[in-house]
Amino acid sequence: MATKSQTQILPAVKGMQADCFKFVNIIMKRNQQHCFLLFLLFGTLCSTAQDTTLIRLRKLPDDTVKINSLVAYGRLNRTDPEKAVPIYNEVLSVAQKIKNEDGIARGMLGLAFVNLYTGKYEECIRQYEAAAHIFQKLWNIKEMCNAQLDLSAGFSAIGQKDSAFYYCMA
């Protein structure tokens, strides 16, 4: 069972970012000369908060709470492949270690999205297919359908319109 601090790590970071946005907005209205310095400070604070969050997440015991927290954190960084890939690889590692098939599938979905985003379409298709197969095996129809829709995007990106249409309609 997750402790209160474990389940509130990501909302705390989001709250801190929202407070920083409010602070920057107030300062910008009062003194526009210091905007650049504030943006620099804000970027540093956010990256430090994210690094701290990842350190805390990695200290969690290897269980489904850690997997789900890492998946959620990975989603925040999934358009930054340098950050997202190690997070999703860790999801896969922990999920395989504790034999959590749902976690394996979610890690595959995350990696597949990053590969789709970066143009590695063959790899993304392989990962989406694997995730869809696992979700089907687990009778998680919603996630299976999501994986198949994303798989459709992968096939569409490489010009295989028939396969894209098939997975879009499956």
Side-chain angles (χ1 to χ4, degrees), residues 135-164:
F135 286 131
Q136 181 180 15
K137 184 174 138 184
L138 296 174
W139 288 91
N140 187 337
I141 305 304
K142 177 183 177 269
E143 290 300 327
M144 181 192 73
C145 290
N146 286 335
Q148 287 179 330
L149 283 172
D150 292 339
L151 180 58
S152 165
F155 279 118
S156 181
I158 61 171
Q160 293 185 8
K161 302 297 182 197
D162 290 344
S163 294

Side-chain angles (χ1 to χ4, degrees), residues 43-142:
T44 304
L45 287 174
C46 287
S47 66
T48 302
Q50 289 178 348
D51 293 342
T52 303
T53 301
L54 187 56
I55 290 168
R56 288 182 182 164
L57 290 176
R58 287 186 168 145
K59 289 181 181 179
L60 293 173
D62 290 344
D63 59 11
T64 56
V65 171
K66 182 175 187 174
I67 291 169
N68 292 335
S69 298
L70 284 169
V71 167
Y73 190 71
R75 283 189 191 126
L76 294 174
N77 293 287
R78 67 186 191 171
T79 57
D80 184 355
E82 289 182 18
K83 289 183 181 178
V85 169
I87 294 168
Y88 287 124
N89 281 332
E90 188 166 350
V91 169
L92 284 174
S93 175
V94 172
Q96 289 168 345
K97 181 179 176 182
I98 67 170
K99 297 176 178 37
N100 181 298
E101 290 190 70
D102 184 68
I104 293 169
R106 290 181 190 285
M108 294 292 253
L109 280 180
L111 285 172
F113 178 87
V114 172
N115 286 324
L116 180 65
Y117 181 79
T118 57
K120 298 175 185 170
Y121 302 120
E122 296 296 330
E123 188 68 14
C124 115
I125 288 170
R126 186 187 65 74
Q127 290 164 332
Y128 278 134
E129 285 176 333
H133 176 73
I134 293 170
F135 286 131
Q136 181 180 15
K137 184 174 138 184
L138 296 174
W139 288 91
N140 187 337
I141 305 304
K142 177 183 177 269

